[in-house]
Amino acid sequence: MLYIFLLPIVIVAILLLPAVIAVKRKRGERSVRHAIIGNLCAFFGVMVICAALPIGMYASAETSSDTSAAAEAEESSSDGSGMGYLAAALAVGLGSIGGGIAVAAAAPAAIGAVSEDPKSFSKALIFVALGEGCALYGFVVALLMLFM
């Protein structure tokens, strides 16, 4: 029983440890880079631990008084809708991250180009909008996955 309560606390502590170390050091970009790498390693380590340990067997939707509701819940969870939600979340998340990276690279260059030549505003705006389009496409794909 202690296993159920202790494991989430340990997982959260492992995930927060690199960020806490980076905040305490505050040396520069190198420590932040190491913190991010450590955080990613801790995240994937926690994912392996969660996949290896049978945490889900402690949660049960079945009730002894209403077996039809439990059978319906089991049937609805076995149709694969959870994977659809996961795919939609990945489409939005990765599309947004890609769009953010693209805008982070294009926007400063566009601002610099417009400050030198104001006539280049429309051309610069197109490149920034193309980067934002990645996030919109990810959102549209997620909507198509959820509602079709």
Side-chain angles (χ1 to χ4, degrees):
M1 193 65 167
L2 183 65
Y3 171 74
I4 297 172
F5 297 111
L6 190 60
L7 187 64
I9 294 170
V10 170
I11 289 173
V12 170
I14 290 172
L15 289 176
L16 290 179
L17 185 65
V20 170
I21 291 171
V23 169
K24 284 190 176 188
R25 285 187 187 172
K26 287 188 182 179
R27 276 196 224 164
E29 186 178 326
R30 185 174 178 187
S31 66
V32 173
R33 186 178 305 143
H34 286 301
I36 291 172
I37 291 170
N39 203 353
L40 286 174
C41 291
F43 173 75
F44 286 116
V46 167
M47 293 300 291
V48 168
I49 290 171
C50 289
L53 295 176
I55 297 171
M57 78 178 188
Y58 293 112
S60 175
E62 186 175 344
T63 59
S64 60
S65 63
D66 191 14
T67 57
S68 63
E72 184 179 319
E74 184 179 333
E75 181 181 320
S76 68
S77 67
S78 66
D79 66 351
S81 62
M83 294 302 274
Y85 294 140
L86 182 63
L90 283 173
V92 171
L94 295 176
S96 298
I97 289 172
I101 291 171
V103 169
I111 290 170
V114 170
S115 66
E116 289 182 10
D117 184 19
K119 294 179 190 174
S120 66
F121 176 74
S122 59
K123 294 177 186 174
L125 186 64
I126 290 171
F127 287 111
V128 175
L130 285 174
E132 293 173 2
C134 293
L136 291 175
Y137 290 140
F139 182 68
V140 168
V141 167
L143 286 178
L144 289 174
M145 279 190 242
L146 289 176
F147 295 117
M148 293 212 159

